[in-house]
Amino acid sequence: MSENKEKYSSFRIPVPAAYEAIFSHFYVAENRSSASITKTLLPSFQTILIFNFGVHAELCSQQNLKIKMEKCIVLGPIKRAFDYTLPPESEIFVANFKDDAFYRFFGHVSLTQYLPQSPDALLNANCFNMLWTELKKIGDPDLKVAYILEFCKKYLRQQNTITEHLINFGDTGISSIKSVAEMYNQSERNIQLNHKKSLGYSSKEVNRFRRFLKAVSYIQKGAVTTFPLKIDWFEIIEECGYYDQSQLINDFKHYIHLTPTKYLKFQQEICHAGA
């Protein structure tokens, strides 16, 4: 392992059981090396809150523009992969909102996809600048998490019952829109609007993403269990509900800017390096 890599660290912090419906996890990354380190953030359909300590980290937009992270930014829902760069002496602390939790906390604010926004600008307040100041004083990441959880407790709104039902359907293969519309005697159009408003994306968008994740899972499983490596692409197309190979390729290019075969090669290289 190189000296630079030895001085770069990143890790996840799990969420206490009482807050598992609000955050999926917290993420910390620090670069104490002498060189900038670039990472790729894969799509998750989650909205994230990033606290930037130390030297400003940078985001790379879809147009390859470098955008400096301010003290605290909101980004999402993350629907496509993008790169970010951590220069020397940078540190980020990321809260990953789950399902509708961002909107339960911030209300129905308007987010600009793929561009970071100041949470204080969204709320027309100065509370997150003050929160950043307090977190900056705390060295222990676990104590940072505890402070954030206590901070958000008093602002979190009750979950809408319709949204709760939409979330609970999850990846069941059942039409959540149609079922919830019948349950509440509303039009499917109204439920679709509720879905978009409460979660930040439509049911059609997230169903496409789940199909993509299923394909990724099949590819990763095949890469681990078959030697010499052999992926049955037509089996993946059939099992994951794709019409043809072209649709599979389009999804990979859409979400991570790679073809399935290039993604597979990337995975092989990572596994080989780890071994």
Side-chain angles (χ1 to χ4, degrees):
M1 183 179 289
S2 69
E3 181 182 356
N4 281 343
K5 288 185 178 179
E6 287 176 354
K7 293 181 179 179
Y8 170 80
S9 64
S10 63
F11 55 92
R12 290 187 175 207
I13 303 175
V15 179
Y19 293 89
E20 286 180 345
I22 310 302
F23 300 102
S24 62
H25 65 283
F26 292 86
Y27 176 78
V28 179
E30 300 179 358
N31 183 11
R32 304 305 179 201
S33 73
S34 59
S36 294
I37 295 176
T38 298
K39 298 286 184 178
T40 298
L41 181 64
L42 297 178
S44 64
F45 271 59
Q46 291 176 273
T47 299
I48 60 176
L49 177 65
I50 306 175
F51 294 94
N52 192 106
F53 304 112
V55 175
H56 289 299
E58 290 184 336
L59 298 172
C60 183
S61 74
Q62 294 292 308
Q63 294 76 31
N64 291 321
L65 296 174
K66 297 290 185 180
I67 304 170
K68 285 190 175 182
M69 296 187 197
E70 299 300 328
K71 291 180 179 179
C72 183
I73 62 169
V74 170
L75 189 64
I78 310 299
K79 298 179 182 180
R80 297 189 187 186
F82 65 85
D83 294 336
Y84 63 96
T85 299
L86 297 171
E89 301 305 318
S90 63
E91 175 187 349
I92 59 172
F93 186 93
V94 185
N96 294 264
F97 288 100
K98 192 173 180 180
D99 298 326
D100 65 333
F102 171 81
Y103 294 100
R104 289 173 59 191
F105 188 85
F106 281 87
H108 294 296
V109 295
S110 177
L111 290 176
T112 303
Q113 288 187 31
Y114 312 121
L115 291 177
Q117 293 175 267
S118 163
D120 280 340
L122 291 174
L123 297 174
N124 194 26
N126 194 42
C127 54
F128 279 90
N129 188 51
M130 292 188 289
L131 176 60
W132 179 91
T133 301
E134 294 303 313
L135 292 175
K136 177 74 172 175
K137 300 174 185 176
I138 303 172
D140 187 334
D142 290 324
L143 294 180
K144 277 187 170 73
V145 169
Y147 195 96
I148 289 174
L149 296 180
E150 187 63 30
F151 173 83
C152 78
K153 189 186 300 182
K154 58 184 177 182
Y155 296 107
L156 200 63
R157 297 170 176 84
Q158 188 70 27
Q159 189 173 56
N160 179 279
T161 55
I162 293 179
T163 306
E164 182 180 3
H165 277 106
L166 288 169
I167 292 170
N168 288 339
F169 269 97
D171 189 15
T172 61
I174 301 172
S175 172
S176 58
I177 298 296
K178 182 177 180 180
S179 300
V180 174
E182 292 174 351
M183 187 183 302
Y184 286 92
N185 195 28
Q186 292 191 24
S187 69
E188 292 185 27
R189 176 61 177 166
N190 281 345
I191 301 301
Q192 287 171 345
L193 291 173
N194 188 296
H195 193 293
K196 181 78 173 180
K197 182 179 179 181
S198 299
L199 298 172
Y201 45 80
S202 68
S203 60
K204 183 178 180 180
E205 285 179 302
V206 74
N207 286 338
R208 179 186 179 185
F209 180 63
R210 286 170 179 157
R211 181 182 63 185
F212 164 74
L213 289 182
K214 190 175 181 179
V216 168
S217 178
Y218 267 86
I219 292 172
Q220 290 176 332
K221 182 180 178 181
V224 171
T225 59
T226 61
F227 184 84
L229 182 62
K230 184 179 180 180
I231 300 294
D232 189 337
W233 297 108
F234 292 102
E235 179 184 354
I236 292 175
I237 290 167
E238 182 177 352
E239 291 295 328
C240 299
Y242 284 98
Y243 294 123
D244 52 29
Q245 193 168 5
S246 176
Q247 192 182 33
L248 174 69
I249 292 171
N250 285 340
D251 265 11
F252 271 77
K253 287 183 176 180
H254 175 80
Y255 289 117
I256 59 176
H257 320 302
L258 295 171
T259 64
T261 51
K262 285 186 177 179
Y263 171 78
L264 179 59
K265 182 180 179 181
F266 172 78
Q267 287 296 105
Q268 284 182 277
E269 291 170 352
I270 293 297
C271 292
H272 180 71

